[in-house]
Amino acid sequence: MPRTDVNEFKQLINGSTRILALCGAGLSAASGLPTFRGAGGLWRNHEPTSLATPEAFAIDPGLVWLFYAWRRHMALKAKPNKAHYALAELAKKKEHFLCLSQNVDGLSPRASHPTRSLRLLHGNLFDLKCFNQCGYIEPNVLRDPLCPALAPAAEDYPPDQTMPLLDPTIPTPKIKLSDLPQCPNCKEEGKASPLRPGVVWFGENLPDGMLEEVDDWVEEGKIDVMLVIGTAAAVYPAAGYTQMAKARGAVVAVFNPDVSARAGLGGNDFFFQGDSAYFLPKVLEDIIGEVNVPE
């Protein structure tokens, strides 16, 4: 069984130099964002993974964009929680800290996590890029709604009312391709190409050079601690990083409310069952001090 003593872990990480973190959707759970992998992880009776493919976008770009426009709206309403700020502060205190995030919600950058130590493995909801891969990218587009056709995804309703877009009994608005955001480069060349979310869909490669960059960091030397936060690390390439870190001598510490996430941990590792927004500030407090979340 892995260890669970907070003070024991604090002693370990206080003296650690090279620290690797892998973050998943559970990191943002305390910010109110759904993980989709738990109970009821559906969007209008669609498995979200069925919408996260180039093929789905090619078939019905309006439906896919409504899903991502709603996620953009939810992410913009959310605020980084104490776990985001704790990791950002750790990055400022520990020069040899690298954080790999599978999240696309933009909350880690909004917590002022230094870009030098943050790798967004699956891209960013707020980046736009050409679906036809002409190379056009528009970073960090925060307007909401993104365009008039996607306004139904940016509406707010009282907690006791269901947003029409989320009610599977109400048909989704039919959106013409020409009413979606368009690539300006392709338009100049007389071609029509919609813009798409700047995220990594199933079946796509991670951003150019990112895997090699992370592998190079791992190979530089011994890793003291690996933090696995809010993820089961079930999807490759992220799933392989825990094994890579262990091969480099790392003690693995998992932060997850799901007890099944401790599977594969040994007696030298740690498991903290609960919300990372509670545990991370606690185990890092000797390094980063008190975490203050801006109002």
Side-chain angles (χ1 to χ4, degrees):
M1 295 290 289
R3 296 177 281 178
T4 58
D5 188 276
V6 168
N7 289 326
E8 196 176 355
F9 181 72
K10 286 169 72 171
Q11 290 179 4
L12 170 67
I13 199 161
N14 290 353
S16 296
T17 301
R18 298 190 77 233
I19 302 168
L20 181 65
L22 175 66
C23 305
L27 173 67
S28 298
S31 297
L33 294 183
T35 65
F36 291 119
R37 290 191 180 276
L42 296 174
W43 186 80
R44 290 187 57 91
N45 289 339
H46 294 279
E47 289 284 352
T49 52
S50 71
L51 300 174
T53 68
E55 293 78 14
F57 190 86
I59 293 170
D60 195 342
L63 175 65
V64 173
W65 252 126
L66 283 169
F67 171 59
Y68 280 98
W70 171 75
R71 291 184 64 183
R72 285 168 51 92
H73 181 66
M74 294 288 289
L76 285 170
K77 286 173 55 180
K79 294 181 179 180
N81 62 57
K82 284 190 173 184
H84 294 106
Y85 285 104
L87 290 172
E89 290 303 310
L90 182 64
K92 296 169 188 175
K93 301 290 185 181
K94 295 282 189 178
E95 180 183 356
H96 301 291
F97 169 58
L98 182 63
C99 182
L100 313 177
S101 178
Q102 301 172 91
N103 297 339
V104 298
D105 53 38
L107 291 179
S108 290
R110 282 168 56 192
S112 299
H113 194 124
T115 55
R116 62 173 173 76
S117 67
L118 179 64
R119 300 293 178 269
L120 301 178
L121 297 179
H122 295 168
N124 190 326
L125 272 176
F126 301 101
D127 294 347
L128 304 178
K129 63 182 184 179
C130 178
F131 181 63
N132 285 346
Q133 302 179 11
C134 78
Y136 177 82
I137 297 177
E138 189 174 349
N140 207 35
V141 180
L142 301 180
R143 64 180 180 271
D144 187 39
L146 194 56
C147 63
L150 297 176
E155 297 174 349
D156 290 315
Y157 288 81
D160 60 341
Q161 294 184 29
T162 300
M163 183 182 189
L165 182 64
L166 301 183
D167 187 343
T169 66
I170 300 175
T172 54
K174 294 300 179 185
I175 300 175
K176 294 188 296 184
L177 186 65
S178 58
D179 289 336
L180 292 170
Q182 299 294 311
C183 174
N185 280 2
C186 291
K187 188 175 182 180
E188 282 184 8
E189 296 177 3
K191 305 173 185 176
S193 176
L195 293 173
R196 51 159 282 183
V199 299
V200 179
W201 280 332
F202 288 95
E204 295 184 326
N205 296 323
L206 269 64
D208 287 345
M210 184 172 290
L211 286 179
E212 292 82 0
E213 185 181 351
V214 174
D215 288 347
D216 288 345
W217 186 93
V218 169
E219 294 296 325
E220 280 179 12
K222 182 182 184 297
I223 298 174
D224 299 307
V225 175
M226 166 103 185
L227 309 174
V228 180
I229 305 159
T231 177
V235 178
Y236 278 83
Y241 288 127
T242 302
Q243 285 76 20
M244 291 169 66
K246 278 196 166 189
R248 285 280 164 180
V251 173
V252 177
V254 173
F255 300 78
N256 202 306
D258 187 350
V259 69
S260 67
R262 71 184 180 190
L265 296 180
N268 197 41
D269 299 319
F270 287 84
F271 179 67
F272 298 106
Q273 185 180 5
D275 189 346
S276 59
Y278 167 76
F279 273 110
L280 276 176
K282 191 175 183 67
V283 301
L284 298 176
E285 61 185 354
D286 293 348
I287 302 172
I288 65 175
E290 183 178 353
V291 174
N292 295 309
V293 176
E295 294 295 330

